[in-house]
Amino acid sequence: MSPTIRPRRLRQSAPMRRLMAETRIHPAQLVLPMFVAEGLTEPRPIGSMPGQVQHTLDSAAQEVERAIEAGVGGIMLFGVPQEKDAVGSGATDPDGILNRATAFLAERFGDATVVQTDLCLDEFTDHGHCGVLATDGSVDNDATLERYAAMAIAQAEAGSQILGLSGMMDGQVEHVRHALDAAGHLDTAILAYSAKYATALYGPFREAVDSSLGADPRNGDRKTYQQDPANRREGLREALLDIAEGADIVMVKPASLYLDVLADVAAASDVPVWAYQVSGEYAMVEAAAANGWIDRDRMIAESLTSIVRAGADVVLTYWAIEQAQLLGTMGLGSMGGRA
């Protein structure tokens, strides 16, 4: 007997599949992470992230122009200083590379895109940790909160519209919110990297920001403050704590290996939920594609679609410009998404 119910009817052609897509992506759902380095006269390629560079101020401005033209929703800035110390002094220096780049780009493009900044000490400390150290070498949570508050004010004054709290210190959202409000920065939003896992996928990022921990995770780790990859419920707990402390947006990082956590957070959250497609996710796809092992374009589109399908409202991705341009060419939502 022939089947009566035939789901394949809705998959019989490309136009039919496009019409029936449950998940659609809009360029404005993509945010471009960017690295701006001190002391460069021209962009410096990042070896473990083919196609990505450490920018000069001028090349960063050119890249932001490209992102705006493509319809990308915003940019996330990371600073790469020349000098580091134990407390990350460059992070709060108004003339430090991150604050200088933020002011430079916000003045030029703040009305056309959302300028965002990473709020963490790891790029600025000579030990490479995300906080200041206690005498026993451990990361001092509460002393680090004071540094985060100073960073938040410096970044807000430089023109950052969203502060990406990525350090995973307990109480960081509440502490920074109070500091911002007391300084009159009531409209500066907080993006809490709530469920941020201690993953091997951060390796290329350490090269990108010249981390003092080094690209090899055996040189050090952040397992006392970033989450254990074995834990799922903990990710939701952290997100709910950050929401209760006043986070405007919560983040799950990385994205691809943590789609279950992303789905949990998205189902429970009453604020926007973002996800970060991190350096290792990018590097693996690019490396496999370079060897001819996978279809690069299909893999990128599928990976982004899966992240949005799991519940992300916005995705930070190094492919933001490329994919936004592709979506514009194909018609919004052709990859999947919410057009």
Side-chain angles (χ1 to χ4, degrees):
M1 181 178 178
S2 298
T4 302
I5 299 174
R6 295 181 181 270
R8 286 182 56 192
R9 294 184 187 116
L10 303 184
R11 302 194 290 266
Q12 62 184 278
S13 67
M16 181 70 81
R17 292 189 294 272
R18 184 172 61 246
L19 180 64
M20 298 300 162
E22 299 175 20
T23 304
R24 304 181 188 279
I25 299 175
H26 190 285
Q29 288 178 271
L30 306 177
V31 167
L32 176 67
M34 297 178 59
F35 307 102
V36 184
E38 196 169 32
L40 298 184
T41 57
E42 60 184 14
R44 176 190 295 155
I46 301 169
S48 57
M49 298 178 67
Q52 300 301 307
V53 301
Q54 293 177 340
H55 284 284
T56 65
L57 289 181
D58 287 341
S59 70
Q62 293 170 10
E63 191 76 343
V64 173
E65 286 180 346
R66 291 182 62 228
I68 292 170
E69 289 173 0
V72 170
I75 59 169
M76 175 64 77
L77 298 175
F78 296 86
V80 186
Q82 288 182 301
E83 302 294 332
K84 305 180 182 185
D85 60 26
V87 297
S89 299
T92 48
D93 181 354
D95 198 43
I97 184 59
L98 179 55
N99 295 323
R100 191 163 77 249
T102 301
F104 177 78
L105 296 172
E107 181 181 1
R108 286 158 178 75
F109 305 110
D111 292 334
T113 192
V114 181
V115 177
Q116 307 160 52
T117 45
D118 178 64
L119 198 158
C120 194
L121 285 172
D122 59 322
E123 299 103 303
F124 300 94
T125 56
D126 55 12
H127 46 74
H129 277 289
C130 297
V132 296
L133 302 184
T135 55
D136 63 359
S138 64
V139 174
D140 187 327
N141 189 96
D142 294 2
T144 299
L145 295 183
E146 298 304 320
R147 293 294 296 139
Y148 286 0
M151 285 183 71
I153 293 169
Q155 292 181 2
E157 291 178 350
S160 178
Q161 297 164 274
I162 299 177
L163 310 184
L165 275 62
S166 60
M168 287 298 291
M169 295 296 118
D170 292 341
Q172 63 183 11
V173 172
E174 183 176 31
H175 198 84
V176 167
R177 184 72 271 162
H178 286 326
L180 287 170
D181 291 353
H185 298 293
L186 303 178
D187 293 331
T188 304
I190 290 177
L191 160 63
Y193 286 49
S194 301
K196 182 178 179 182
Y197 285 84
T199 174
L201 291 170
Y202 297 150
F205 181 88
R206 293 191 182 185
E207 178 190 351
V209 297
D210 294 343
S211 171
S212 298
L213 281 180
D216 187 342
R218 292 173 296 182
N219 294 338
D221 63 59
R222 298 169 178 147
K223 293 180 180 178
T224 66
Y225 43 103
Q226 293 176 357
Q227 291 176 239
D228 186 340
N231 294 348
R232 176 174 177 172
R233 291 191 302 271
E234 185 182 32
L236 177 58
R237 181 189 185 207
E238 290 274 10
L240 293 177
L241 283 170
D242 285 346
I243 293 170
E245 290 181 17
D248 299 286
I249 309 162
V250 291
M251 172 85 85
V252 175
K253 179 182 181 182
S256 63
L257 300 187
Y258 297 86
L259 295 180
D260 55 339
V261 178
L262 175 57
D264 290 346
V265 172
S269 176
D270 57 2
V271 302
V273 177
W274 293 12
Y276 198 142
Q277 189 178 47
V278 302
S279 60
E281 297 171 78
Y282 175 91
M284 288 192 296
V285 171
E286 293 291 351
N291 280 283
W293 296 336
I294 60 172
D295 183 322
R296 176 185 180 276
D297 293 347
R298 286 184 61 193
M299 188 68 251
I300 294 170
E302 186 175 339
S303 65
L304 286 169
T305 299
S306 72
I307 295 166
V308 175
R309 188 186 67 230
D313 298 296
V314 167
V315 183
L316 275 72
T317 175
Y318 299 100
W319 291 302
I321 293 178
E322 174 186 335
Q323 292 305 299
Q325 291 172 335
L326 181 62
L327 285 168
T329 300
M330 297 173 60
L332 294 181
S334 296
M335 281 175 24
R338 305 179 185 179

